Each structure stands twice: as structure tokens, then as C-alpha cells.
Amino acid sequence: LGLWLTHGLNLFLFAGILRKIGFSSPAIVAAVLTAGVSWTNIETLSWVTQWTSVLASTTFLLAFICLVAVLTSSGKYRTCMIGLYLGCIVASPLFHSRGILTGLALGATLLVCNDWEPVRRPPRVLAIGSAALAVALAAVIQVLVVSPSHSFQSLNWHELAGMASFSAYYYLLNPVFLFVPFIFKTVGWLPATVLGMIKVVILIWGYENSPRAARPLLFALLIYELGYCFILGYGRSHTGMAAACSSRYQYVALFCFAPFLGIAITRCIELFTRRGRIRLILSWVLFSVGTVVMVRGWRAPLESWSDGRGTAIRAALREGEPDALMAASGTSIGRARQLARIFNLH
């Protein structure tokens, strides 16, 4: 329940930010539906261990809200917002490894987007501080948490190439790949090229047709997703290229892509008809159909997920030999039964 409530909070914050920066109502609805209702989020929203990942997105959204408040306020309120902003940057990587991107993406946005409304020139000290704080946190986590349990090994060119390929596949294929299984059934350079071109066109078109005040957020989302590509490539390339399209990694891809898609959809509707009433009716009909399709799309993956992570595991706990290992975790069935009794698991 907490996971879904956090997801709901993220959608609420997301919609509020889009409204604040000038998105139209149809564009907001399209973006929220894309990020919030898609069945491709099945693993993130059905597995409690992914709660930390969702919380990392919460801190990013809160950090952006606080940053806008910093740039538009003064006095004690501004000082308070600076403290909350830096607090979100600190909290984000403590929830999840990709949380380091919060400070880096927003710091880069402050440096690059000099036309940020309503402030003409955002303070560079805050920009550099955001990025420096994120890097410092990453270094502390590396030294105190990662290094004691992992011995450092230099990477060879083959491993670096694998990481680069995984990152490229992730960026080019997601989030469109899982929506078109009837067209492309396997991960490869052909679907990556085709879907990547479609994604880049939507990103460029959405950015060019966005309100001026929205461009800092769109830029931050672009940087955030690119950074996530590198993190996944470094940490998950050993799992195989097909894993680049896992539903576990769709949350970021959907949130970062949704605003661009929302703008593109509304722009297409505007090009189709100039009459405001017809445009509004067409928008809501399209969104209603899209909602029904997305909600119905949960059925098959949810059944598959429930079987793999629920029914099959319970059957193994009831009928399996104590010394047999659980495929998902490597824990013996006997130990799993013991843990279930200790923690009153059902």
C-alpha cells in the first residue's frame, strides 16, 4: 500500500509541476496517464523492494519544487527552501543509487538554462553546490558502503563495450519497446534504431513546442535519464542485453518521456483541427480510450508476475524439499520456511 501511495504522491507532484510551468490540461493528463497507469511498470509497482526507487523519484520532484521556490522567493522563506532543496539532494541517493542524479541533473540545469523563468540568471553557486553535494555523497557511499564489500577490479575493453551497449539499448528502446511486442519481439539494433529514432523525434518536437518556462524541467529530465543509462550500464550490463527493457527499469523512462509525449500528442491534435471544442472532445476521447487500454493491459503481466513471484513460490514452500534452493534468491526452502515463521509471513 505504501508503495502505491508513494506512486500516487509522485503523480500528484508531477501534475502540479507541469501545471506550474505552463502545460495545458490535455498535456498534463497525457503525461500523467503515461507515467502513472502504464502496465510496463508492473515490476516497480508490484515489488516492495522497489519502493526505494520510487522514493528516489519523490525526492527529485520535491527538489525541483523547492528549487523553483528558491528562485522565486526571498528572505527567510528562501533560506528555508534552500535547506529543503539540499535536504532532498542528500536524501535521494540514500533511498536509491540513482538518487545521485537529483543533484547532478538540477545542478546542470541551473548552469545551462540561463533563461529560467522568472529568474534570468540562476545563482551559479547553488548550481555548483548541487552537483558537488551529489558527487560528495556518491564518494562517501562508495567508501563506506560499497568498497568494504566489493573488491575493486579494473574493467577491460570488452566489459566497457558491454556497458556502453546496455546503456544505448536502454535509452533507445525505452519506454516504447514494451508497448509494441507485436512488432519487435527481441532486443537488437534494428528495434533500437527504429524506436530510438521515434523517441528522439518526440523529444525534439516536444521540447521545441513546450512553454518556455517548462524547458528547465525538460532539460533536467533529459539529463536524469541519460545519467540513469550510465548507472544501469555500469551495474546491470552483466545480466544480458534483454534486461535493458525489464519492467523494473521503466519507471524513470516513463516519467522522463511522459511530458514530451504529452506535448507531442496535444500538438498533433491541434494540427488536426483548429476548433477548440472539437479539439477538447477529441482529446478526452483519446485519453479515455488510452486509459481503458492501459488498465486492461495490466491483466496479463499481473497474472504472470503473480505466478512467478507468488503462486509458484508458495507452492515450492509447501511441497519442496528443505535442502532445495529457491531460484529467485538462492535461499534454501527450509530456511525460507523458517523466515516465514519468524516474521509471520503469509
Side-chain angles (χ1 to χ4, degrees):
L1 178 60
L3 174 57
W4 277 91
L5 289 176
T6 306
H7 178 56
L9 174 62
N10 287 351
L11 295 177
F12 177 78
L13 296 174
F14 192 48
I17 291 173
L18 296 181
R19 171 61 69 185
K20 180 74 173 179
I21 60 180
F23 272 54
S24 64
S25 295
I28 294 173
V29 173
V32 170
L33 285 177
T34 301
V37 189
S38 171
W39 71 86
T40 59
N41 264 332
I42 178 69
E43 190 164 355
T44 299
L45 297 178
S46 299
W47 202 6
V48 71
T49 57
Q50 294 298 309
W51 194 359
T52 57
S53 174
V54 177
L55 284 169
S57 297
T58 307
T59 52
F60 173 80
L61 296 171
L62 289 173
F64 186 87
I65 293 172
C66 292
L67 182 56
V68 172
V70 169
L71 299 177
T72 57
S73 62
S74 60
K76 293 183 178 179
Y77 180 74
R78 183 173 184 270
T79 303
C80 180
M81 287 298 102
I82 290 176
L84 290 175
Y85 168 68
L86 296 177
C88 289
I89 292 178
V90 172
S92 198
L94 298 180
F95 284 123
H96 195 273
S97 59
R98 68 173 166 82
I100 184 182
L101 299 172
T102 296
L104 294 176
L106 295 179
T109 302
L110 279 169
L111 287 173
V112 173
C113 294
N114 290 324
D115 60 346
W116 191 317
E117 296 290 352
V119 179
R120 187 67 180 172
R121 292 186 181 277
R124 292 185 178 273
V125 173
L126 187 60
I128 295 172
S130 302
L133 182 57
V135 172
L137 283 168
V140 170
I141 293 172
Q142 174 70 28
V143 171
L144 298 181
V145 179
V146 179
S147 295
S149 57
H150 293 80
S151 58
F152 178 79
Q153 295 181 351
S154 59
L155 300 173
N156 56 45
W157 286 108
H158 178 73
E159 291 171 324
L160 290 173
M163 292 176 184
S165 297
F166 192 95
S167 298
Y169 275 133
Y170 174 83
Y171 187 78
L172 295 173
L173 291 170
N174 294 313
V176 183
F177 182 80
L178 295 181
F179 287 101
V180 290
F182 49 88
I183 299 178
F184 298 111
K185 299 183 182 299
T186 58
V187 172
W189 283 111
L190 176 61
T193 302
V194 174
L195 298 181
M197 290 177 62
I198 294 173
K199 178 177 180 177
V200 170
V201 168
I202 292 175
L203 291 177
I204 295 174
W205 196 25
Y207 191 89
E208 290 297 323
N209 288 278
S210 65
R212 184 177 178 182
R215 293 186 176 180
L217 174 66
L218 300 182
F219 182 82
L221 292 176
L222 288 172
I223 296 299
Y224 195 94
E225 187 179 15
L226 285 171
Y228 190 49
C229 290
F230 286 108
I231 289 176
L232 282 181
Y234 178 77
R236 290 290 180 264
S237 59
H238 66 279
T239 60
M241 296 303 159
C245 295
S246 169
S247 61
R248 184 184 303 185
Y249 310 132
Q250 297 301 309
Y251 201 79
V252 171
L254 286 166
F255 261 93
C256 292
F257 185 68
F260 297 92
L261 182 62
I263 294 172
I265 290 175
T266 53
R267 183 59 178 160
C268 287
I269 294 173
E270 291 171 0
L271 293 174
F272 182 77
T273 177
R274 295 183 178 274
R275 296 183 179 181
R277 182 172 297 180
I278 295 177
R279 187 186 302 169
L280 183 62
I281 293 174
L282 185 60
S283 298
W284 290 113
V285 168
L286 180 62
F287 296 150
S288 298
V289 173
T291 302
V292 172
V293 171
M294 284 195 173
V295 171
R296 292 188 65 181
W298 277 84
R299 182 174 180 178
L302 192 58
E303 289 178 352
S304 175
W305 174 262
S306 299
D307 180 66
R309 296 288 181 177
T311 306
I313 292 177
R314 289 191 179 94
L317 287 174
R318 289 195 309 267
E319 304 167 4
E321 295 294 331
D323 294 333
L325 298 180
M326 306 287 288
S329 64
T331 304
S332 69
I333 290 179
R335 177 57 177 167
R337 289 170 180 165
Q338 184 182 19
L339 292 173
R341 288 193 299 270
I342 293 173
F343 295 102
N344 194 30
L345 301 177
H346 302 286

